[in-house]
Amino acid sequence: MPKKRPEGIKDYTGPAGGWGALKAVAVALKAQQIVSRGAQTLLKSNQPDGFDCPSCAWPDPKHSSSFEFCENGAKAVAWESTARKIGAEFFAKHSVSDIWQQTDHWIEDQGRVTDPLRYNAATDHYEVVTWEEAFAGIGAGLAKLDDPNQAEFYTSGRCSNEAAFLYQLFVRLYGTNNFPDCSNMCHEATSVGLPKSIGIGKGTVSLEDFDHADLILSIGHNPGTNHPRMMATLREVARRGGKIVVFNPLKERALERFESPQSVVEMATFAATPIATSYLQVKVGGDAAALKGICKALVAMDTAEAPVLDHAFIAEHTAGFDALVADLETAEWADIEHASGLGRSDLEEVARLYAQSKATICCYGMGITQHRTGTSNVQQIANLLLLRGNMGRPGAGICPLRGHSNVQGDRTVGITERPSPLLLDTMRDVFGFEPPRADGHSVVESIAAMRDGHAKAVVCLGGNLAIASSDPQACAQGFRNMDLAVHITTKLNRTHLLMAKGATYILPCLGRTERDSQDGGVQAVTVEDSMSMVHASRGFLMPPGENVRSEPWIVAGIAKATLGAKGGIDWDGYVADYDRIRDSIEAVFPAFKDYNARIREPGGFHLPNSAAERIWLTDTKKANFIVSPKLEEDESTRDPSVLRLTTLRSHDQYNTTIYALDDRYRGVFGRRDVLFMNAKEIARLGFAEGDVIDVTTALEFKRADRIVQGLMLVEHELPDNCCASYYPETQPLIALEDHDPQSFTPSYKSVPVQIRRAGADDGAERVVARAGVAGRLTSVKA
Ligand SMILES: Nc1nc2c(c(=O)[nH]1)N[C@H]1C(S)=C(S)[C@@H](COP(=O)(O)OP(=O)(O)OC[C@H]3O[C@@H](n4cnc5c(=O)[nH]c(N)nc54)[C@H](O)[C@@H]3O)O[C@H]1N2
Ligand SMILES: Nc1nc2c(c(=O)[nH]1)N[C@H]1C(S)=C(S)[C@@H](COP(=O)(O)OP(=O)(O)OC[C@H]3O[C@@H](n4cnc5c(=O)[nH]c(N)nc54)[C@H](O)[C@@H]3O)O[C@H]1N2
Ligand SMILES: [Mo]
C-alpha cells in the first residue's frame, strides 16, 4: 500500500515536461487574465523580430521554431504582461503597513505599478507624484551626499545593455564604483574564478558545441525548472547516444527523464527520453571533493602506453600542471569519499567515461557557485576540462548556466564594482572625465555599509535586493537607515516596503514585452545570452500606463537631475535614439564593432571569446591549473546534529517572485513551508515525516534570531547529513558574513543548521517567520 503523505505532498512519478507543462502554461495565462494577449505574446518570444524572453539566459537556436518558449518562460511573460495594475487608487486604499502583512506572492500579484510614487511617512501611504517631482527629489538627495561612495547602485540582471551602460556612465560621473549587482549572488564565482584559470570570466561553448559533445557533465543546476529550453538540447544529446553525468544531491526529475512538449510523438505516446546516464547524489557542498576525486583518478589512469591526459595541450597551453598533480597525489581517497558522500569506484567510473569521451562539456549552476568554496569549485571544473584539452575545440568547453536573461550583458557593458584600469581609462578617453579609481561595493559589502550607517542612499535598477540577499535582518536595518531609497521596477515587492528614514521613491518601468516609443521612434534594446550572443529585443504590447517609462529614460532622468550639465552628456539624445547609446558602447568596448549594423541581422552576433580561441589572457599567458584548498572538514561529522542546508528554487517561482505555491516535480503542492531530508535522517534525529520543526543556524554564525519557524519535514531522496528548503524563505538562516572570501558570493547552498521540534500543529495558518523583518512571507494555506 502506498505510504500516506502529509497534506500537499504527493509522489511525482511522471517525467518532467510533457502534458503537465502545457497545462501549466494555460493556467498561468488564465490567472493573469491575458489569454488571447498572452498567446500572441508568446509567439514573439525569442524570435528574430520579437523580444528576448525575460526568464533565463539560455541561447536561442539558430532557427527559432515558433515553439521557442517554455513553461517557465510563459509564466514569466504572463506575470509581466498581466492585465492587473496598481496606481493611485490602490495606494490610497492600502497603507504600507497593511501591504506588509500580505504574502510576497500577494504583493507582486497586485499587478503593474503605473505611476511614480513617493512615500509619505505621516500617512504611511505611497502617493503618486509627477516624474518632475520624483527626479527633483532624487537628484537633490544624491547631490547632497558628502561623498559619492555613500550611495549604492544596485542592478538586477533583467535590464538591457543600453540601460546598464547609461547607468554605469551616470554612476561613474557621479563618482563611485559602488555597483552591487545580482551576479554578486549568482555567478560571481565564475567571474572571479575563470579569469585566473582561462583568462575570461565567461563560458566558452556555443549551442552548436552540444551537437558534437560525447559527454556532458551537469553539476549543480536544475534545467527542467530554471533553463527549460536547455532540456531540448540535453534530450538531443541523449537521443544520439551522448552520455550525461549528473552531480546533484537531489534527484531532479527532468535530469532523469524528460518528455518534450514540442515532440508530437513523445506527447502522444507518453514516451519520455531518459536523460542522465549516471546520477551521482553528491553531498551538499561536496563537489570540491568529487571533482578532486575525478581528477585524481584520471591522473592515476594516465600511463605512457595508454595516455588519457592531453599532454601536448598541457605542454603548449597550460601552466601549473605539476603542482596540481602533486596536490592530487596527496589527497586521500577516504577524505574524498567522506566529503563528497560518493564512493571511490563511482568517481573512478566518471573518470573512465571522461577519458573515453572525445569532447566534453561541463555545465554548472548555483550548486557550484553559492558556497564558501565557490570560486575554487569553478576553477576545479576548469582543471578537469584542461587535463584533456577540452577547451577551445568543437564539442568541448565550460558552460556556466547564467541566471537572469541579461546578467552577462550588464557585466560586459560596465556594471562592475571592481573595474579594470582599461575600462576606466577608456571611459576617460571617450567621455573626457576622470572616473573614480577605487573599487566599489558588491552586494554583501553594500548591505554591510547600509546596515552599519556608512551608506546613506540606495538606487535599485530592478530586483528585490533585501529579499534576495542573505541576512534579512541586516537588509531591513540597512534600508531603514537610508536617507534616500529609489526603486525602478515593474511591480511592487517587499524591498519597496522597507522604508528609508528619509525619502523612498518607486519609479515604474516598461518590461521587455512592451513597446518602447521615444522621440526617435520605436526602440529596440539588446541583451547578451549565456553563450555571448548579443541580439535585439523589441517589445510590442502597449505599456500598462502612459506614465510608465523605459529604463534608459528613467536612468537619464535621474542623471540629469543629479548631475545637471556635469560631464556634458547629451542624455536626451541618447534616450531619443538608442542607436546612439550603442555607438557609445562600441566606442568603449571595441568587441561591439558595427554594433548597430550587426544587431539588425536576425539572431544578432557573437562576442569574441578569447579562451574559445585558445588565447589565454592570464598572468602566465597560459591556461592555469589552480590547486584547490585542502578539503574542508565537514563540521557535521563532529556534531551529528548539524546538517547542511541547501536553498532551492521551486518550479513555480522566479527568484523572489513566487508565481504559485506548487513544486510539481518534487511533489509539493500548495505550500512552500517544507524541509526536505531523507527518511533515514528524519528518523535518526527522532522525527517523522509531517512533523513541524524550527530550523536554526548552527556553528560559527549561530544567533538567537537566525531561525525559521514552522517548516514541515518532507521525505526526499537526499544524502545523509543534508537538507534542502526553498529560497527565499530560509534567508534568515544565512549570515551576511557567510560567503566565499574570493567572490563574496553568499554561501546560500551550504548553511550549517540544526532542527528542533516546533509547537504542536494546531491546524492554524502557519507563517514562515522572518526574524527581524516582522510579517509573513508565504502563508501556507492559500
Ligand atoms: N523558472 C525559473 N528560471 C530561472 C530562475 C528561477 O528562479 N525560476 N532563476 C534564474 C537565475 S537568477 C538563476 S541564477 C538560475 C538558477 O538555476 P540553477 O543553478 O538551476 O538554480 P537552483 O534552483 O538554485 O539550484 C540548482 C541545483 O543545484 C542543486 N544543488 C544544491 N546544492 C548543491 C550542491 O552542493 N552541489 C551540487 N552539485 N548541486 C547542488 C539543487 O538540488 C538544484 O537542482 O536560473 C535562472 N532561471
Ligand atoms: N537563499 C538563496 N538566495 C538567493 C539565491 C539562492 O539560490 N538561494 N539565488 C541568488 C541569485 S542567483 C540571484 S540572481 C538573486 C536575485 O536577486 P534579484 O535580481 O534582486 O531578484 P529578483 O527576484 O529576480 O527580482 C524580482 C523583481 O524585479 C523586478 N522586475 C522584474 N522585471 C523587471 C524589469 O524588467 N525591470 C525592472 N527595473 N525591474 C523588474 C520586480 O519588481 C520583481 O519583484 O537572488 C539570490 N538569492
Ligand atoms: Mo541568478
Side-chain angles (χ1 to χ4, degrees):
M1 216 179 72
K3 187 171 146 136
K4 186 164 176 344
R5 309 292 306 266
E7 192 186 331
I9 308 299
K10 295 187 189 131
D11 299 317
Y12 183 87
T13 49
W19 291 104
L22 286 189
K23 185 170 151 224
V25 171
V27 171
L29 295 179
K30 184 151 177 284
Q32 298 302 325
Q33 305 162 354
I34 48 162
V35 170
S36 59
R37 190 180 184 225
Q40 187 202 19
T41 312
L42 289 172
L43 293 176
K44 287 257 183 201
S45 83
N46 294 332
Q47 297 298 310
D49 64 339
F51 60 88
D52 181 64
C53 177
S55 190
C56 81
W58 185 253
D60 313 322
K62 284 158 292 185
H63 311 289
S64 286
S65 75
S66 55
F67 272 106
E68 197 46 33
F69 63 85
C70 67
E71 174 189 347
N72 281 346
K75 286 183 208 156
V77 169
W79 193 253
E80 177 173 298
S81 43
T82 176
R84 287 200 270 278
K85 297 171 192 183
I86 49 177
E89 212 178 308
F90 174 89
F91 289 100
K93 185 162 158 218
H94 299 280
S95 70
V96 166
S97 311
D98 288 347
I99 303 172
W100 181 265
Q101 293 307 318
Q102 301 291 339
T103 65
D104 287 26
H105 172 71
W106 185 94
I107 294 169
E108 260 204 69
D109 199 28
Q110 297 315 296
R112 293 287 297 276
V113 181
T114 55
D115 297 280
L117 303 163
R118 181 176 55 210
Y119 179 64
N120 181 341
T123 61
D124 187 34
H125 283 260
Y126 268 113
E127 293 171 353
V128 172
V129 290
T130 62
W131 279 104
E132 292 72 31
E133 288 169 307
F135 287 145
I138 295 165
L142 287 174
K144 80 166 186 235
L145 296 188
D146 304 332
D147 175 354
N149 294 312
Q150 291 174 330
E152 308 289 348
F153 293 90
Y154 179 64
T155 318
S156 168
R158 245 186 220 190
C159 109
S160 62
N161 285 353
E162 289 73 11
F165 182 79
L166 285 193
Y167 193 55
Q168 66 84 36
L169 172 60
F170 153 58
V171 172
R172 293 204 160 100
L173 258 169
Y174 173 69
T176 182
N177 288 311
N178 283 347
F179 285 110
D181 170 21
C182 72
S183 63
N184 297 141
M185 302 181 267
C186 185
H187 262 294
E188 195 66 24
T190 300
S191 307
V192 170
L194 284 188
K196 292 182 185 137
S197 292
I198 59 169
I200 186 169
K202 300 182 181 186
T204 63
V205 297
S206 68
L207 205 48
E208 293 79 69
D209 284 319
F210 285 82
D211 298 339
H212 307 290
D214 289 348
L215 172 68
I216 311 286
L217 298 171
S218 151
I219 316 186
H221 67 120
N222 185 20
T225 288
N226 297 318
H227 301 90
R229 288 180 298 120
M230 182 187 192
M231 289 313 304
T233 306
L234 291 180
R235 176 175 165 274
E236 273 175 39
V237 172
R239 289 176 82 88
R240 67 174 170 76
K243 302 233 171 2
I244 300 175
V245 174
V246 173
F247 288 84
N248 197 312
L250 274 81
K251 279 273 179 80
E252 302 288 22
R253 181 46 48 95
L255 291 169
E256 297 182 282
R257 276 182 292 142
F258 180 70
E259 186 176 275
S260 170
Q262 278 126 40
S263 156
V264 177
V265 176
E266 286 194 354
M267 292 293 279
T269 58
F270 294 96
T273 305
I275 300 292
T277 325
S278 356
Y279 204 118
L280 297 163
Q281 286 187 275
V282 63
K283 260 193 199 173
V284 167
D287 304 276
L291 286 161
K292 202 166 236 186
I294 302 167
C295 290
K296 182 178 171 74
L298 192 74
V299 168
M301 279 161 65
D302 185 63
T303 59
E305 307 76 58
V308 297
L309 305 183
D310 186 340
H311 291 283
F313 174 85
I314 292 171
E316 186 185 344
H317 288 284
T318 70
F321 175 69
D322 294 341
L324 181 84
V325 171
D327 176 70
L328 292 173
E329 279 167 359
T330 60
E332 298 289 342
W333 274 110
D335 293 338
I336 291 171
E337 289 190 319
H338 180 75
S340 67
L342 300 172
R344 173 176 177 171
S345 59
D346 287 335
L347 295 171
E348 286 173 339
E349 178 56 26
V350 177
R352 250 188 308 278
L353 282 176
Y354 179 50
Q356 285 158 8
S357 160
K358 285 198 274 307
T360 300
I361 294 175
C362 181
C363 307
Y364 66 94
M366 299 298 102
I368 280 291
T369 60
Q370 294 176 333
H371 295 282
R372 288 190 211 179
T373 54
T375 300
S376 81
N377 287 354
V378 169
Q379 291 170 337
Q380 286 208 67
I381 291 177
N383 289 346
L384 179 62
L385 290 168
L386 291 171
L387 283 172
R388 283 184 45 76
N390 277 306
M391 207 67 95
R393 61 182 172 82
I398 193 160
C399 177
L401 275 288
R402 291 278 167 178
H404 272 294
S405 49
N406 195 40
V407 58
Q408 185 158 319
D410 294 346
R411 269 298 157 89
T412 303
V413 301
I415 302 291
T416 166
E417 73 280 10
R418 289 171 177 45
S420 66
L422 175 66
L423 169 62
L424 298 176
D425 290 348
T426 320
M427 288 290 290
R428 177 196 60 205
D429 297 344
V430 171
F431 292 103
F433 75 100
E434 188 51 58
R437 294 275 159 177
D439 280 353
H441 290 158
S442 64
V443 163
V444 161
E445 295 160 298
S446 295
I447 299 289
M450 290 164 68
R451 176 194 59 193
D452 300 338
H454 305 309
K456 308 246 179 265
V458 62
V459 178
C460 297
L461 180 50
N464 189 3
L465 175 58
I467 302 303
S469 165
S470 48
D471 212 330
Q473 296 92 323
C475 297
Q477 187 58 52
F479 273 86
R480 289 178 174 140
N481 283 345
M482 294 296 97
D483 291 338
L484 173 70
V486 180
H487 306 284
I488 301 166
T489 190
T490 48
K491 288 192 167 186
L492 192 62
N493 64 43
R494 196 171 292 280
T495 300
H496 310 148
L497 305 177
L498 292 167
M499 310 321 299
K501 71 175 164 22
T504 308
Y505 290 89
I506 292 179
L507 306 177
C509 69
L510 296 175
R512 285 269 172 83
T513 51
E514 284 143 7
R515 183 193 300 269
D516 181 353
S517 297
Q518 303 296 345
D519 288 349
V522 176
Q523 304 296 316
V525 294
T526 57
V527 294
E528 177 184 345
D529 68 28
S530 248
M531 296 179 189
S532 308
M533 283 295 298
V534 178
H535 61 91
S537 170
R538 193 176 284 104
F540 63 95
L541 293 178
M542 288 309 287
E546 58 189 32
N547 252 340
V548 179
R549 297 298 158 84
S550 78
E551 289 174 333
W553 186 90
I554 297 170
V555 170
I558 298 177
K560 285 189 288 180
T562 309
L563 303 173
K566 182 178 172 187
I569 306 291
D570 180 9
W571 298 103
D572 293 332
Y574 274 144
V575 172
D577 182 353
Y578 298 176
D579 277 358
R580 297 184 189 136
I581 308 180
R582 287 184 283 269
D583 284 339
S584 290
I585 295 177
E586 181 178 335
V588 177
F589 304 99
F592 286 89
K593 192 167 158 15
D594 297 329
Y595 198 175
N596 278 309
R598 285 197 290 167
I599 54 141
R600 285 171 168 82
E601 302 285 324
F605 64 95
H606 198 257
L607 287 174
N609 188 304
S610 48
E613 294 163 34
R614 296 196 165 178
I615 298 166
W616 316 105
L617 304 176
T618 60
D619 51 354
T620 58
K621 302 279 174 273
K622 304 257 181 185
N624 290 317
F625 287 106
I626 299 179
V627 172
S628 61
K630 295 273 163 265
L631 293 177
E632 209 186 322
E633 207 195 322
D634 186 350
E635 306 90 340
S636 54
T637 55
R638 271 177 271 134
D639 179 347
S641 72
V642 176
L643 306 170
R644 250 177 213 236
L645 169 74
T646 186
T647 60
L648 311 167
R649 291 158 167 79
S650 77
H651 194 62
D652 275 354
Q653 79 182 79
Y654 192 89
N655 297 341
T656 67
T657 297
I658 312 299
Y659 299 131
L661 302 183
D662 297 346
D663 192 7
R664 194 166 77 238
Y665 301 146
R666 300 194 187 108
V668 180
F669 297 89
R671 60 193 311 163
R672 291 173 54 86
D673 60 338
V674 298
L675 186 75
F676 299 111
M677 273 167 73
N678 77 38
K680 200 174 100 219
E681 286 287 284
I682 293 178
R684 177 178 72 84
L685 295 169
F687 294 97
E689 183 177 43
D691 282 354
V692 179
I693 45 112
D694 294 343
V695 187
T696 58
T697 308
L699 307 176
E700 198 182 340
F701 297 108
K702 191 181 174 91
R703 208 172 74 182
D705 59 351
R706 296 217 164 102
I707 178 167
V708 170
Q709 291 169 296
L711 297 185
M712 184 177 80
L713 286 173
V714 171
E715 288 176 7
H716 204 82
E717 249 190 276
L718 267 161
D720 292 348
N721 298 103
C722 299
C723 59
S725 190
Y726 295 121
Y727 141 61
E729 281 82 345
T730 38
Q731 235 53 323
L733 298 169
I734 310 169
L736 195 63
E737 289 69 28
D738 192 0
H739 58 70
D740 172 16
Q742 296 193 65
S743 69
F744 291 86
T745 311
S747 179
Y748 294 123
K749 286 198 170 38
S750 27
V751 192
V753 297
Q754 284 165 312
I755 64 173
R756 62 185 192 212
R757 198 169 295 277
D761 183 8
D762 55 5
E765 182 185 64
R766 278 192 306 277
V767 158
V768 178
R770 299 177 59 78
V773 186
R776 61 188 77 176
L777 192 67
T778 307
S779 72
V780 177
K781 301 203 166 79

